[in-house]
Amino acid sequence: QVQLVESGGGLVQAGGSLRLSCAASGRTLNNYAVGWFRQAPGKEREFVAASRRSGGTTHYVDSVKGRFTISRDNAKNTVYLQMNMLRPEDTAVYLCAADSRLIRNELRNAGAYDYWGQGTQVTVSS
């Protein structure tokens, strides 16, 4: 099993930046596809970004393209989500998820991931 812990959330003004971290233990995260999802109060969990395993392709929801970047640091067994030009509508709990078996068309599906972190709150003020 792999354990995931998110960090880096906080309160930021619109236009600001945050970098979220998803640190893994128990397994080598490079062998897993990793996704970032977010959930705002009263809304469904939404796909944000994903990185295929072993340095494969990255994928983003249209609303964050050009603003968010997902990246890996294999030495630290950590995946990051760099978030720039934040907007109030980005406010949500952000969760990372991992799975060792996903294929490309499953990356955006929260139900396909086996392992989840506890989430970190991101609040963007206007």
Side-chain angles (χ1 to χ4, degrees):
Q1 290 190 353
V2 60
Q3 292 79 42
L4 304 172
V5 177
E6 301 97 332
S7 61
L11 173 64
V12 64
Q13 289 188 332
S17 298
L18 286 172
R19 188 179 76 161
L20 305 183
S21 300
C22 175
S25 60
R27 292 289 187 270
T28 300
L29 199 56
N30 197 43
N31 295 331
Y32 290 74
V34 175
W36 282 98
F37 293 80
R38 63 188 178 187
Q39 190 161 18
K43 295 188 177 181
E44 292 188 355
R45 191 165 294 186
E46 176 190 28
F47 168 78
V48 176
S51 169
R52 295 185 72 182
R53 61 185 178 182
S54 302
T57 55
T58 56
H59 305 263
Y60 300 91
V61 68
D62 285 348
S63 61
V64 309
K65 284 181 180 177
R67 301 189 298 124
F68 291 11
T69 304
I70 187 171
S71 63
R72 294 177 181 261
D73 186 333
N74 293 332
K76 296 183 178 180
N77 214 26
T78 298
V79 171
Y80 301 101
L81 184 69
Q82 178 67 43
M83 305 187 297
N84 299 328
M85 296 182 286
L86 283 160
R87 304 168 180 168
E89 54 264 39
D90 295 319
T91 295
V93 174
Y94 283 71
L95 307 102
C96 68
D99 197 278
S100 62
R101 302 161 298 173
L102 297 187
I103 60 176
R104 179 172 178 168
N105 64 359
E106 296 174 318
L107 292 173
R108 299 170 183 256
N109 178 8
Y113 289 81
D114 277 348
Y115 304 105
W116 289 84
Q118 82 289 347
T120 185
Q121 177 71 46
V122 171
T123 303
V124 184
S125 63
S126 56

